[in-house]
Amino acid sequence: MAGEERFRRPAEHEGLLNELTAKDGPFRTMVDALMFTAALGCRKGRREPFDKPGEGIRLALMEGRQYGDVLIDMIAASEVRDDPKILGDDRLSERIKIFEEYANGGLIYIQGVINESGSRDLTTIVNNLVMDALVAPPKQEDTVSELIQIAQLDW
């Protein structure tokens, strides 16, 4: 991944991102928070475009996170299943946009949980979302499970 490229964060959710990364928040950095919200948005099927971006974040910061750049690729590959060329170097900007939009969808989802519960304890909210993901099966068919069934493998 290129070092000077940037990915955007939605300006509408700057306040929520600041709370998620505050001293007592569940994440240490914006990159960590956006990685989580992108994965959440993808899991919940919430890809939400946005028009007004906040300050950009250097894409190189994702490379410094364990599996950060892999997460961008995996989300794009799951979104564009019929086109393996999505992982080509020439389509990095498309993968970044998919990541950004799923991160926005995840932020919208978290804001909805806050609004519904009335709680601003973001650490508890994030912990509950993680536990829900570990306990509940994904809504979409898991490709790995599908392949195991087709191959009749017994794990």
Side-chain angles (χ1 to χ4, degrees):
M1 291 190 166
E4 288 303 307
E5 300 231 20
R6 294 184 172 272
F7 61 95
R8 306 169 308 145
R9 56 189 196 218
E12 175 184 353
H13 299 293
E14 284 292 326
L16 178 55
L17 280 167
N18 287 331
E19 288 181 60
L20 287 166
T21 58
K23 183 178 177 183
D24 58 345
F27 301 103
R28 292 186 301 161
T29 67
M30 289 281 181
V31 172
D32 294 335
L34 289 167
M35 286 174 60
F36 177 80
T37 58
L40 175 64
C42 187
R43 176 156 176 91
K44 298 293 184 181
R46 304 276 312 255
R47 184 175 174 190
E48 304 286 343
F50 59 95
D51 295 325
K52 188 175 179 193
E55 182 179 339
I57 298 174
R58 286 181 304 131
L59 193 56
L61 293 175
M62 288 293 273
E63 294 173 342
R65 299 292 187 275
Q66 190 172 19
Y67 308 114
D69 52 348
V70 174
L71 179 64
I72 290 174
D73 292 345
M74 288 176 56
I75 289 173
S78 72
E79 178 71 9
V80 188
R81 293 175 185 244
D82 297 334
D83 184 5
K85 292 182 180 180
I86 186 67
L87 298 175
D89 290 341
D90 59 328
R91 299 201 38 205
L92 176 61
S93 61
E94 188 177 345
R95 291 194 307 275
I96 291 170
K97 182 176 181 176
I98 293 168
F99 175 84
E100 293 169 344
E101 291 178 352
Y102 273 121
N104 188 42
L107 288 162
I108 291 169
Y109 188 86
I110 291 172
Q111 188 62 59
V113 171
I114 291 168
N115 295 345
E116 186 177 295
S117 69
S119 172
R120 296 229 47 105
D121 182 355
L122 294 176
T123 300
T124 299
I125 289 171
V126 167
N127 286 340
N128 289 340
L129 290 169
V130 169
M131 291 306 295
D132 288 347
L134 292 173
V135 174
K139 293 185 190 238
Q140 297 177 344
E141 180 63 33
D142 180 5
T143 306
V144 174
S145 296
E146 184 179 314
L147 292 174
I148 290 171
Q149 287 176 351
I150 291 169
Q152 298 177 348
L153 298 175
D154 185 20
W155 291 80

